[in-house]
Amino acid sequence: MEQWEYKTVKYATKGFLGGKVDEEDLSELFNGLGYEGWELVSCFDTSISQGQSRDIIAIFKRRAFTGL
């Protein structure tokens, strides 16, 4: 039976009121996790108000090493 481990990453948006995403920085973060074997399974934002985002929450998974 396959076993998985999960990682939750919180990425803070920038700007005075939030809502601005440094796409290059976010891509570097996601690519680095991908190189470590993590697969993105879900991604969503947390809202402040009127459509502005405070944080981006990303959930990753990878096969757990069982040592067998």
Side-chain angles (χ1 to χ4, degrees):
M1 174 160 84
E2 287 185 303
Q3 294 183 342
W4 303 93
E5 62 178 325
Y6 295 87
K7 176 187 281 288
T8 302
V9 175
K10 182 168 93 171
Y11 180 84
T13 59
K14 313 253 191 273
F16 178 67
L17 296 174
K20 296 183 193 245
V21 176
D22 183 337
E23 293 175 23
E24 187 174 313
D25 186 48
L26 187 60
S27 290
E28 285 181 25
L29 173 64
F30 283 6
N31 284 327
L33 290 167
Y35 289 131
E36 293 176 10
W38 293 101
E39 176 184 2
L40 179 66
V41 293
S42 183
C43 189
F44 56 92
D45 69 328
T46 58
S47 299
I48 297 174
S49 66
Q50 299 178 6
Q52 291 181 329
S53 299
R54 177 180 318 209
D55 299 306
I56 295 172
I57 307 296
I59 301 170
F60 295 82
K61 75 174 186 178
R62 70 178 175 186
R63 283 194 178 87
F65 177 70
T66 60
L68 299 175

